[in-house]
Amino acid sequence: MALKETIQSLLDQVDKMSASNMEELEALRIKYLSKKGEITSLFNEFRTVPSDQKRELGQMLNQLRQETENRINSMREKINDQMVNDQMVNDLTRTPDPIALGTRHPLSLVREEIVDIFSRIGFTVAEGPEVEDDRHVYGMLNFPPEHPARDMQDTFFVEKEIGVQKPTDVLLRSHTSSVQTRVMTTQKPPIRVLCPGRVYRNEAVSARAHCFFHQVEGLYIDKNVSYADLREALLYFSKEMFGADTKIRLRPSYFPFTEPSAEMDISCNICGGKGCSFCKGTGWVEILGCGMVDPNVLEACGIDSKVYSGYAFGMGVERITNLKYRVKDLRLFSENDVRFLRQFVSC
Ligand code: DAH
C-alpha cells in the first residue's frame, strides 16, 4: 500500500480504537507508538519518499502521530478517573465528602427568636390551619358579614367544586388571629399561647406587599388580665428583641376583635429615636397591633366574659425581620436566591 493510503487507514483505526483498562491501553500504545510501532515505522519509510511528496506526507504523518497521542492520553485520563472512582466506592474507610450545609431562612430565625422570647414569660406555641373557614377568620372575631373591616383583609376563597365561581366560606386565613378562636374553643383559661404561621391576602405583589407573609399572634386569657399586663409583656418583648434602650408607645387604633385596640411603635432602632429617613423623621416605627380581647369574641368562643379577660397582639414576621436585618424588598424572602439566604449564616 502506498504510504498515503497507509496513513489514511491508520487514522481511521486510531479514530475507532478503544480500551477498557490500562493493559489494553498500553497494548495500543505499543502497537502504534513504540519504537517498533506501526506509526514509528512509517517515519522510517518516510525517508525514502521522493522530495516533491515529502511536504504533504510529512504533514499527514505528524498529524497521525499527534492524534494517536491525544487519543491515548485522553483514554488514559478516563480510565484513571474510573479507577479512582471505583476505589472510592469500594473503600468504606475513606473520609466522606463534606456535606454542604444550608442556612436557616431569616424568617425562621426571627420567628424562633420571637417564640423564644415569649416562651420565657410562659407562652407556648399553638397552631391552626391555613385553609380556614369564614367563622374562624372573621365571624367569631367580631367581623359582621358586610363590615368594611373585611375589605382590609381580603383574601383568597377556595372553590368547592372546580368551575364554581361563587365564593364559598372556605378561604386562606388572612391573619393568625383565627388560631385564637381555635384555641379558645378547645382550651379552658388560663390560656397563654403564641401562634406563628403563614397568612394570605389578596394584594398585588410589590417590594412592600405580598400575597402571603408570616405573622405571630399572641393571646393571654385569665382572670383580671389588664391593659397594663399587655403593655408590660410587649415592652419586655421589644427590649429583648431590639435592645434594652428600646422604648414603646401605644396609639389608639381599631380592630373588630379587641376593645380597646392599639398599634404599637418602638423607638426607631436606626436613629435611636432622633428621626431619620427610615422612621420618616418621627423617631418611631410601627411593629404590631394589639388590644384587650373584645367580650363578644370571648363569648363567641364559649368563655364567660364576666369572669375572664385577656389581651391579644399580632405582628408581621417580615416586618420584624426588616427592622432587624434591613431587608428592603419583601419579595427577597420567597425568591430562594442563595446569595440572599447565605448572608444569614452567622445570625
Ligand atoms: N390580625 C391583625 C392583622 O392581621 C393583627 C392583630 C391586631 C392581631 C390586634 C391581634 C390584635 O391579636 O389584638 O392585621
Side-chain angles (χ1 to χ4, degrees), residues 136-180:
H136 287 90
V137 174
Y138 301 122
M140 292 163 84
L141 286 167
N142 210 23
F143 286 78
E146 306 298 332
H147 198 278
R150 287 184 176 227
D151 267 0
M152 283 152 54
Q153 290 203 14
D154 189 19
T155 183
F156 302 99
F157 292 81
V158 179
E159 293 169 14
K160 270 205 183 109
E161 285 169 49
I162 304 211
V164 175
Q165 294 298 323
K166 257 194 292 164
T168 66
D169 66 355
V170 183
L171 45 85
L172 300 183
R173 67 180 179 196
S174 57
H175 54 175
T176 43
S177 303
S178 57
V179 188
Q180 283 188 28

Side-chain angles (χ1 to χ4, degrees), residues 113-263:
E113 197 173 344
I114 298 169
V115 170
D116 191 48
I117 293 171
F118 280 105
S119 69
R120 283 180 236 144
I121 51 171
F123 283 79
T124 53
V125 169
E127 283 179 341
E130 287 177 27
V131 182
E132 260 292 7
D133 55 34
D134 186 286
R135 247 163 37 91
H136 287 90
V137 174
Y138 301 122
M140 292 163 84
L141 286 167
N142 210 23
F143 286 78
E146 306 298 332
H147 198 278
R150 287 184 176 227
D151 267 0
M152 283 152 54
Q153 290 203 14
D154 189 19
T155 183
F156 302 99
F157 292 81
V158 179
E159 293 169 14
K160 270 205 183 109
E161 285 169 49
I162 304 211
V164 175
Q165 294 298 323
K166 257 194 292 164
T168 66
D169 66 355
V170 183
L171 45 85
L172 300 183
R173 67 180 179 196
S174 57
H175 54 175
T176 43
S177 303
S178 57
V179 188
Q180 283 188 28
T181 55
R182 297 240 162 226
V183 172
M184 282 192 275
T185 45
T186 53
Q187 293 179 26
K188 287 202 165 27
I191 293 169
R192 209 193 306 242
V193 290
L194 217 53
C195 323
R198 182 176 293 168
V199 300
Y200 302 82
R201 299 262 171 111
N202 185 6
E203 298 266 2
V205 175
S206 71
R208 311 198 56 189
H210 212 294
C211 56
F212 71 83
F213 54 98
H214 300 79
Q215 289 186 332
V216 176
E217 187 81 14
L219 176 72
Y220 176 36
I221 310 284
D222 205 344
K223 289 177 183 152
N224 302 319
V225 178
S226 72
Y227 194 76
D229 295 327
L230 169 64
R231 192 180 187 286
E232 213 41 42
L234 293 178
L235 180 61
Y236 168 74
F237 164 72
S238 306
K239 284 176 182 275
E240 290 293 298
M241 192 70 173
F242 297 105
D245 297 337
T246 311
K247 295 185 186 55
I248 63 168
R249 77 174 181 190
L250 291 155
R251 284 178 289 105
S253 184
Y254 171 76
F255 300 102
F257 37 90
T258 42
E259 183 57 41
S261 304
E263 257 153 341

Side-chain angles (χ1 to χ4, degrees), residues 255-274:
F255 300 102
F257 37 90
T258 42
E259 183 57 41
S261 304
E263 257 153 341
M264 190 185 90
D265 300 336
I266 56 164
S267 48
C268 177
N269 66 338
I270 295 180
C271 61
K274 287 193 199 75

